[in-house]
Amino acid sequence: MIDYTETEESADDSDELYEHHRIVVDKRQALLRVDKFLMDRLPNVTRNKLQSAIRSESVQVNHKPVKVSYKVKPQDVITITLAEPPRDTDVVPENIALDIMYEDEELLLVNKPAGMVVHPAYNNWNGTLVNALTYYLQNLPTSRNGEGRPGLVHRIDKDTSGLLVIAKTDYSMAYLAKQFFDHTIERTYYALVWGVPKEAGGTITGHVGRSAKDRRVMVVYPEGDYGKHAVTHYKILRSFKYVSLVQCNLETGRTHQIRAHMKHIGHPLFSDAMYGGNKILSGSTNGSYKSFVENAFKLMPRQALHAKSLGFKHPITKQIMQFETELPEDFAAVLAKWGLYEGQ
C-alpha cells in the first residue's frame, strides 16, 4: 500500500522540491532489499538515486534510518524523501551567465536575479535558471555521459531575487532535500512592506492554500481547514513611516508564504501586483507623495522580496554553511529613496 501523504512541488517563494511517500509493506511480502523493493513501487526513480537517499537517511523504516542492505519485512512502514524526479520534457542547455557565490564538488550557491524564472514551464521554456545550470553543469566532472544535472532542491519566484542552493550529486540532492523536509535549513528574506506592523517582531502562523477565486494567488486559512501549515517569523529592521523593511525567517516553505502571510496581517509587500502591493496602501493618494510612490514603483516594478541568506549542513563535511548576499540594485535604490523621503 502506498500513501502519498505529502507532496511539495510548486514554483514559489521557497517550496521544497521533494516527494514524501509512506509505504506499508504487505503482510505477504518476502524478504527483499529495500532498494529493490522501492524500485518496483516508485515511478521515475533510479536505483542510484534511491541508494543515495538511503545513505543520506532520507529513507527510514519504522522511523529509523536503514542501510542499503536492509531487507524489508511484512508490515514495515517505510517513509521516503526524494528530490524531484526528472521531468518528461528535455531541458535545452543555454549559455546564460550565473552569479555563483560558492561551489565545490557537491553543490553550488547561485544568486538569482529578479526576472529569471527558476525552471522551465508553460510559456517559460527558455532563459530559466535550469537552462543555465544544465549548460554550466554539463561541462563539470560530476556530469555523466554529457548530461547536465542541475540539481534543483528548492525554488524562489521569478520576481524574487536571492540565494538558491544547487546539488551536483545524487547524494547531495537527497541530503539537502531531507534538510528542507525537516525544516532545518535557515532561510532569511528581506521584504519591504506597506505600513508599520504594530509589533516590532512576531510570528505569523496560518495555513496557506490557493485562493478559490484565483488559483495563482495564495491565501491564509487561519482555521486550518484548507491549505498547509505555514510559519513565518518576522522583525522590523527599519521603518520609513509609510513602509517598513522587514526580515522574515521561514520555518516552513509554502508557495508565496511570505507574500500571503504579510498581506494577511495587513502589510502586503511593496510593489507586489499579485497581492495588491502595487497601490498606495499607506499615506496620501494624491499630490507629491503620489508621484513619489509611482516613481518608486517604476524603480522596482516587482515585489520587494530578496532571499538574503541561506544556512545548511554540508552533505559531506557536515559543517554548517552560511551564505549572505547584498540587496540587489533596485531594492537598495528603493530603500535609499524612502530614506531620503523620510528625511525631508
Side-chain angles (χ1 to χ4, degrees), residues 201-221:
T203 298
I204 308 168
T205 302
H207 279 47
V208 172
R210 297 194 182 277
S211 167
K213 297 179 180 178
D214 186 347
R215 297 286 295 169
R216 299 172 303 163
V217 176
M218 307 300 287
V219 297
V220 175
Y221 296 87

Side-chain angles (χ1 to χ4, degrees), residues 57-297:
E57 300 186 359
S58 297
V59 174
Q60 298 194 357
V61 180
N62 304 323
H63 307 294
K64 295 180 180 179
V66 295
K67 295 182 178 180
V68 175
S69 58
Y70 177 84
K71 292 184 178 181
V72 299
K73 302 175 180 61
Q75 294 194 303
D76 273 349
V77 177
I78 305 173
T79 54
I80 313 104
T81 304
L82 296 174
E84 184 182 29
R87 296 179 179 274
D88 293 334
T89 55
D90 292 331
V91 177
V92 178
E94 295 182 64
N95 187 6
I96 302 170
L98 291 170
D99 183 5
I100 297 175
M101 306 286 294
Y102 171 85
E103 182 176 4
D104 61 25
E105 292 183 355
E106 295 296 322
L107 53 87
L108 66 131
L109 268 289
V110 174
N111 186 20
K112 186 190 83 67
M116 175 182 269
V117 175
V118 171
H119 64 92
Y122 182 70
N123 284 336
N124 285 298
W125 297 112
N126 301 304
T128 73
L129 179 64
V130 166
N131 292 111
L133 288 169
T134 302
Y135 179 89
Y136 181 74
L137 293 178
Q138 71 180 349
N139 296 318
L140 295 179
T142 51
S143 288
R144 294 176 299 185
N145 303 321
E147 178 187 356
R149 296 184 293 158
L152 204 62
V153 184
H154 64 131
R155 302 176 240 191
I156 55 178
D157 250 2
K158 172 187 175 183
D159 289 326
T160 297
S161 54
L163 286 172
L164 285 164
V165 60
I166 311 297
K168 290 167 61 176
T169 66
D170 287 335
Y171 175 80
S172 290
M173 176 86 86
Y175 193 89
L176 291 168
K178 182 67 164 56
Q179 290 183 67
F180 274 98
F181 181 77
D182 290 338
H183 308 308
T184 57
I185 297 280
E186 182 277 314
R187 290 169 285 176
T188 299
Y189 288 73
Y190 275 15
L192 186 66
V193 304
W194 277 107
V196 180
K198 293 179 180 179
E199 303 294 333
T203 298
I204 308 168
T205 302
H207 279 47
V208 172
R210 297 194 182 277
S211 167
K213 297 179 180 178
D214 186 347
R215 297 286 295 169
R216 299 172 303 163
V217 176
M218 307 300 287
V219 297
V220 175
Y221 296 87
E223 301 301 322
D225 52 342
Y226 184 68
K228 293 181 178 179
H229 174 67
V231 179
T232 303
H233 305 285
Y234 76 91
K235 67 176 180 180
I236 300 173
L237 297 178
R238 182 177 176 183
S239 61
F240 300 89
K241 188 175 180 180
Y242 298 120
V243 295
S244 300
L245 178 63
V246 175
Q247 175 181 308
C248 294
N249 289 87
L250 295 179
E251 188 171 311
T252 56
R254 306 305 182 195
T255 303
H256 297 182
Q257 178 174 316
I258 293 173
R259 299 163 73 184
H261 268 173
M262 294 312 296
K263 180 177 181 178
H264 178 66
I265 65 170
H267 300 282
L269 270 59
F270 181 81
S271 200
D272 189 349
M274 186 173 289
Y275 289 85
N278 62 335
K279 300 182 178 72
I280 297 177
L281 301 178
S282 182
S284 174
T285 56
N286 51 42
S288 60
Y289 176 74
K290 179 182 179 183
S291 297
F292 165 81
V293 174
E294 288 175 346
N295 287 331
F297 284 150

Side-chain angles (χ1 to χ4, degrees), residues 12-30:
D12 68 337
D13 281 347
S14 59
D15 260 13
E16 302 86 352
L17 291 189
Y18 53 74
E19 289 185 325
H20 183 209
H21 304 280
R22 180 177 182 273
I23 301 175
V24 180
V25 179
D26 189 83
K27 294 179 180 179
R28 297 179 296 277
Q29 174 65 47

